[in-house]
Amino acid sequence: LALYASAIEAFPDNLDLRYNRALFVVELGDFAWMESELKKILAEDPDHADALNALGYTLADRGERLDEAFAYVARALKLKPDNPAVLDSMGWVLYRQGDLEQAASYLRRALDLAQDDEIAAHLGEVLWVSGQRADARAVWREALLHTPDSDKIRAVIERLQADHQ
């Protein structure tokens, strides 16, 4: 945090530094600070797609204010329609809202664009919850070929299999 503070003091108009600090503080568990910082960034640049996406995804991941999360991610998606991270976020928001079919569609598109273990974990979870367990296992198996040490995939597999035993 001290390094971010120094960098932001030297470059106070650099929204990317402030955005990255917001992502860092949410990893430390300070959602309120992250939300506040991202909203300040959006006040200065309403089209900061990364801030819109991060705020929407984090709200959805926490299962909070899902309509608001959807609105943020929808705005980001208009700005970056082929961005795998934004497509993943939209899929995750839709999943949290209970729209499994649409969620899977966005997540498949995201995974087609980027072989990313977090996207694969999300798609696998949506498929699993919608009863498509063989498809979920296939997605995870394929992702583990690319990222064999993925904690994200292993964690979702363990959580879902424990929930359904």
Side-chain angles (χ1 to χ4, degrees):
L1 283 176
L3 181 59
Y4 275 116
S6 296
I8 291 167
E9 185 177 329
F11 303 98
D13 296 331
N14 188 316
L15 296 182
D16 290 333
L17 277 173
R18 292 172 39 208
Y19 165 76
N20 285 312
R21 179 178 63 182
L23 295 185
F24 181 73
V25 298
V26 81
E27 290 297 318
L28 298 175
D30 196 337
F31 173 76
W33 186 6
M34 182 213 76
E35 182 178 19
S36 172
E37 187 64 27
L38 292 178
K39 285 185 174 181
K40 288 177 191 171
I41 290 168
L42 292 170
E44 292 177 45
D45 178 6
D47 290 335
H48 195 289
D50 294 331
L52 290 164
N53 186 55
L55 188 51
Y57 174 82
T58 305
L59 284 168
D61 199 46
R62 294 167 58 92
E64 297 177 4
R65 299 172 5 226
L66 296 176
D67 290 341
E68 186 179 339
F70 181 89
Y72 286 128
V73 176
R75 284 174 52 202
L77 196 56
K78 283 185 180 176
L79 296 164
K80 293 186 173 184
D82 295 316
N83 182 290
V86 179
L87 290 164
D88 173 66
S89 295
M90 182 55 80
W92 202 238
V93 171
L94 290 165
Y95 168 61
R96 294 295 189 162
Q97 290 180 322
D99 188 344
L100 301 180
E101 188 176 327
Q102 278 287 88
S105 175
Y106 278 96
L107 292 166
R108 283 187 196 282
R109 189 162 157 227
L111 194 58
D112 285 345
L113 293 169
Q115 290 299 315
D116 178 88
D117 63 325
E118 185 169 14
I119 296 170
H122 288 161
L123 177 56
E125 181 165 343
V126 169
L127 294 171
W128 184 273
V129 169
S130 64
Q132 301 171 54
R133 299 212 170 145
D135 291 342
R137 286 186 190 100
V139 166
W140 293 327
R141 227 181 352 266
E142 176 70 21
L144 287 170
L145 292 175
H146 298 285
T147 315
D149 58 345
S150 173
D151 291 338
K152 293 170 182 154
I153 293 173
R154 295 197 191 288
V156 76
I157 290 170
E158 289 172 14
R159 179 173 48 80
L160 291 173
Q161 288 181 339
D163 289 348
H164 293 92
Q165 286 187 4

